Amino acid sequence: MQRDIVQRPGITVGRADERPVARTSLPGNLLAPSAGRRFVRAALTEWTELGLPAAAGLGERLADDASVVASELVTNAVVHAGTDVELLCRLEEATEDEAAALVLEVSDRHPARAVRGEHPQDGGPADDGSTGGTAPTDPAEYGRGLQLVGTLAERWGITYRTGLKTVWARLPVDDWNPFPEPPAETGFQQGLRAAELLAPTARRALRDDADWAGRGALSFLAEASDLLAGQLDEDIVAALSGQLLVPRLADWCAIWLEPENGGPAAVPRLASVWHRDEAETGPLRAVLEQDAIRLPERVGTGPVCLPWPWSEEGEKEEEAEPEAHTGSALAYRIASGGRTLGAVLLGREGEGRVPDEVTALIEDFVRRVGLAVGAARAYTRQATISRILQRALLPGKVADIPGVTSALVYEPSDDGVVGGDFYDIFPCPGDRWCFVLGDVQGSGPEAAVVTGLARPWLRLLAREGFGVGEVLDRLNRLLLDDAMEAAEAAALMVAAAGGQQTADTGQSRFLSLLYGELVPLPDGGVRCTLASAGHPLPLLLRPDGEVRPAAEPQMLLGLFDDVAYESQSFDLAPGDSLLCVTDGVTERRSGTLMFDDGDGLAKALADCAGLSAHGIADRIKRAVHEFAERPPDDDLALLVLRAG
């Protein structure tokens, strides 16, 4: 028996062997750690809200520790394995031998048996000597990820299976606190702590290098990871990084970012400059802008000693820095995925040498900056491509229909990929106007391919004079033929490579579609003929508030070739309105409920009697958004046609 308790695509949450279990698959890229943190917090929240017995001891402190452990384990798997990652959370009841615990498991499919950063002094198991490599023993080279896991978890370990390596960690539930003092923080106190990290200089604590050798380093890295990982803009990442470093670990710092597509000849951009004395920020920027810092890959990720910026040229020193401060200046290379993304330069005044524990901590921090910058750039690239594709796949302008006012709402989900919903309104010969509202299976490039085929095919078939049912018949056949050609091409490629065909090769490309045509009537209004292929049924609103479905349900397009689609015709009299939506409206979720449960959409439409087309569209859109606290996680599209 499994029961969904986290309503998110791609996540399966339920009870296995009477133990609450949540599992999900994460892509092997830099967005995986933040997704893992969100997943763990969502699972714990849902278990708590459902009142499960094992969740009685869950608290905010455990949620914080669990998200940090999940982030570190997922990061380790992504950076060193590079495969897709499986994340599992499991709540275990208390037994006679052990207390209740939260178990996190992160699995990857890398063939090597060793875990990077794993060695006996970290608190984890040592390499067993089997083939697949030995674990490195330099924590400064591989960070403190597993040290942090070992500190927060009661115990952790590694399980090997054929083609699968799982790193697990067990966190006790009942009133567990690895640091007896101070006591567990309330949500308000945690908010104060986050505000302290980014507070103005006058409110921050003085630097204490001795504290970085113990709990201070782990707390700082955990808080910094949370703050940086949620940012999708590289300039915000750079600004936050400066605020986190100054004055905690340095008196001033500057961050340069390499142009994404600039090449070796491009000049790094000075993205952020911070000084503990705000009055000195301007002069410091003026000096640093004269010469960009670019560290070659051969220097690695460790610190590089550089001359104090104001000591190179006496004249500039007098103009820019009258007091002629001196100290230690260190530079670190920002890297991610083997690529140099920029550099961090920081200075500590009046010091001849920075303690080793501080330089190692800064190196760990800069690694997190690199991951955050890399993730922000990946998201920006994906979002840019998505916007370009979306603009190309959707009509630049919908046609005006004589005697009919139309209103359109289209909101793709904010996930940086091409949405699956599409629409169109276009004229045809014979004084006809056609309208389309479709939803392709999935999203991203696959959905873009189907949308790029379906919309022009629809226009072509409609303008050739085919009726509504005939258009759907031929579009269904075209989709099946295209899927068959794709399957044959894939089979030939597999055979040429000497491999075996995968199970999902040749999967049909299907979509739901609402297609109709309008013909103006001599006495006003229009004659509407439409058909729904696996799509939410359109609703007809009369001026007196009566609402009824305007079509019959039929099979999705692109699944079977023996389907004959039929159309329905009716008159859209003056004052009548037709509402067409995608499943992003009808299946909008709030917990276990959907917006259209109990004819929710029809009831919302009945309250729109007497409104204009734009008024109806705005009312329905607002009702959909207000149905749940969370933003919609699916594309939202609706079309209103109102006869004048």
Side-chain angles (χ1 to χ4, degrees):
M1 297 288 292
Q2 284 200 343
R3 176 185 178 191
D4 288 339
I5 59 175
V6 176
Q7 306 294 340
R8 289 188 182 179
I11 297 178
T12 302
V13 183
R15 294 179 65 89
D17 300 327
E18 299 302 323
R19 294 177 298 183
V21 175
R23 55 172 59 85
T24 187
S25 296
L26 302 173
N29 58 40
L30 298 179
L31 297 176
S34 59
R37 287 193 299 275
R38 291 194 299 270
F39 173 80
V40 169
R41 285 188 175 275
L44 297 183
T45 299
E46 292 289 344
W47 288 335
T48 302
E49 291 175 352
L50 289 175
L52 300 179
L58 296 182
E60 189 64 27
R61 182 57 181 267
L62 179 62
D64 290 342
D65 292 340
S67 62
V68 171
V69 170
S71 178
E72 294 298 335
L73 294 182
V74 171
T75 299
N76 204 36
V78 169
V79 172
H80 299 299
T83 68
D84 288 348
V85 177
E86 302 293 329
L87 172 60
L88 179 143
C89 308
R90 181 175 67 251
L91 270 180
E92 295 186 346
E93 298 278 3
T95 65
E96 294 181 359
D97 300 325
E98 291 187 310
L102 173 67
V103 178
L104 302 177
E105 297 181 3
V106 174
S107 303
D108 64 69
R109 304 184 185 279
H110 193 277
R113 293 174 62 81
V115 176
R116 293 300 183 95
E118 167 199 350
H119 45 81
Q121 59 265 40
D122 283 343
D127 193 352
D128 58 5
S130 58
T131 59
T134 58
T137 58
D138 183 4
E141 178 66 19
Y142 292 97
R144 293 182 173 83
L146 293 181
Q147 291 184 26
L148 196 153
V149 171
T151 300
L152 296 178
E154 177 188 51
R155 61 179 183 268
W156 69 277
I158 311 165
T159 302
Y160 300 103
R161 302 181 183 90
T162 303
L164 195 71
K165 178 171 77 269
T166 300
V167 184
W168 56 268
R170 178 184 174 89
L171 286 72
V173 170
D174 295 333
D175 299 326
W176 177 72
N177 188 346
F179 307 113
E181 52 189 28
E185 297 172 319
T186 64
F188 177 72
Q189 289 171 328
Q190 288 179 345
L192 290 179
R193 188 180 62 191
E196 168 70 13
L197 281 173
L198 302 178
T201 302
R203 296 185 180 181
R204 299 181 188 165
L206 295 177
R207 186 166 64 238
D208 183 4
D209 290 339
D211 188 45
W212 298 124
R215 180 188 174 188
L218 297 179
S219 300
F220 173 73
L221 289 175
E223 296 292 344
S225 295
D226 278 344
L227 285 171
L228 295 177
Q231 308 305 323
L232 299 177
D233 185 298
E234 62 180 56
D235 287 327
I236 295 180
V237 172
L240 284 175
S241 300
Q243 289 179 277
L244 290 167
L245 285 172
V246 178
R248 222 162 267 98
L249 296 170
D251 293 306
W252 57 265
C253 83
I255 297 176
W256 284 265
L257 294 177
E258 297 276 354
E260 189 167 5
N261 300 312
V267 178
R269 173 174 60 90
L270 185 57
S272 177
V273 176
W274 284 92
H275 198 289
R276 66 182 304 156
D277 184 354
E278 294 183 4
E280 302 293 343
T281 300
L284 176 61
R285 176 180 288 274
V287 172
L288 296 177
E289 283 178 342
Q290 299 173 15
D291 190 13
I293 298 295
R294 169 176 280 172
L295 299 178
E297 294 185 6
R298 65 176 181 273
V299 305
T301 59
V304 177
C305 295
L306 294 181
W308 193 254
W310 293 292
S311 63
E312 296 181 357
E313 300 181 24
E315 296 180 0
K316 294 179 180 178
E317 177 183 347
E318 293 180 2
E319 296 175 2
E321 182 63 30
E323 298 181 8
H325 294 247
T326 59
S328 301
L330 299 177
Y332 292 80
R333 185 169 65 94
I334 302 175
S336 177
R339 296 183 55 191
T340 298
L341 303 181
V344 175
L345 176 65
L346 55 90
R348 290 162 66 103
E349 296 179 355
E351 296 189 15
R353 182 178 180 276
V354 181
D356 292 340
E357 60 269 19
V358 174
T359 60
L361 175 61
I362 297 174
E363 184 179 350
D364 249 354
F365 173 79
V366 173
R367 283 198 186 94
R368 285 160 171 76
V369 174
L371 290 174
V373 172
R377 290 190 171 184
Y379 176 84
T380 301
R381 287 194 299 269
Q382 190 174 7
T384 301
I385 294 172
S386 175
R387 286 193 295 269
I388 294 173
L389 283 176
Q390 206 80 65
R391 286 197 299 266
L393 295 174
L394 297 175
K397 181 182 180 182
V398 296
D400 294 326
I401 306 173
V404 176
T405 57
S406 62
L408 179 71
V409 173
Y410 178 72
E411 296 180 353
S413 58
D414 188 19
D415 55 6
V417 298
V418 180
D421 291 2
F422 66 96
Y423 60 87
D424 203 358
I425 301 177
F426 55 93
C428 286
D431 199 25
R432 296 179 298 131
W433 278 262
C434 298
F435 62 93
V436 179
L437 196 62
D439 186 1
V440 180
Q441 169 211 13
S443 60
E446 295 82 1
V449 169
V450 180
T451 303
L453 295 173
R455 198 170 70 87
W457 279 344
L458 275 167
R459 284 199 170 207
L460 178 62
L461 291 170
R463 287 170 176 169
E464 287 295 318
F466 293 107
V468 171
E470 294 175 309
V471 168
L472 295 188
D473 288 340
R474 284 162 172 76
L475 180 59
N476 183 56
R477 184 68 261 171
L478 287 168
L479 287 171
L480 289 170
D481 290 345
D482 184 75
M484 184 64 67
E485 292 176 3
E488 292 175 353
L492 291 175
M493 293 176 62
V494 171
Q500 296 182 350
Q501 187 169 352
T502 58
D504 60 348
T505 300
Q507 181 181 10
S508 299
R509 298 171 176 175
F510 60 85
L511 73 151
S512 69
L513 188 75
L514 178 66
Y515 169 66
E517 64 177 32
L518 301 173
V519 178
L521 298 175
D523 298 331
V526 292
R527 182 71 172 171
C528 180
T529 303
L530 52 75
S532 175
H535 202 79
L537 298 181
L539 298 177
L540 178 62
L541 172 65
R542 299 295 188 185
D544 60 359
E546 177 191 357
V547 176
R548 66 174 180 85
E552 296 293 331
Q554 300 181 79
M555 183 62 62
L556 288 161
L557 294 169
L559 289 180
F560 304 103
D561 59 359
D562 57 350
V563 180
Y565 291 93
E566 298 180 354
S567 60
Q568 292 80 41
S569 297
F570 57 91
D571 289 342
L572 201 62
D576 291 347
S577 300
L578 185 69
L579 173 64
C580 312
V581 302
T582 59
D583 60 7
V585 173
T586 57
E587 297 180 7
R588 167 82 159 121
R589 284 188 175 273
S590 177
T592 59
L593 300 177
M594 292 193 297
F595 182 74
D596 200 32
D597 287 347
D599 295 327
L601 180 60
K603 294 176 181 177
L605 181 60
D607 294 335
C608 298
L611 297 180
S612 65
H614 290 283
I616 295 174
D618 289 340
R619 177 78 62 86
I620 299 299
K621 180 184 73 171
R622 186 167 62 252
V624 172
H625 279 277
E626 293 175 351
F627 183 70
E629 294 182 0
R630 296 178 180 177
D633 57 5
D634 192 9
D635 300 336
L636 188 153
L638 63 90
L639 172 66
V640 178
L641 300 172
R642 189 176 191 277

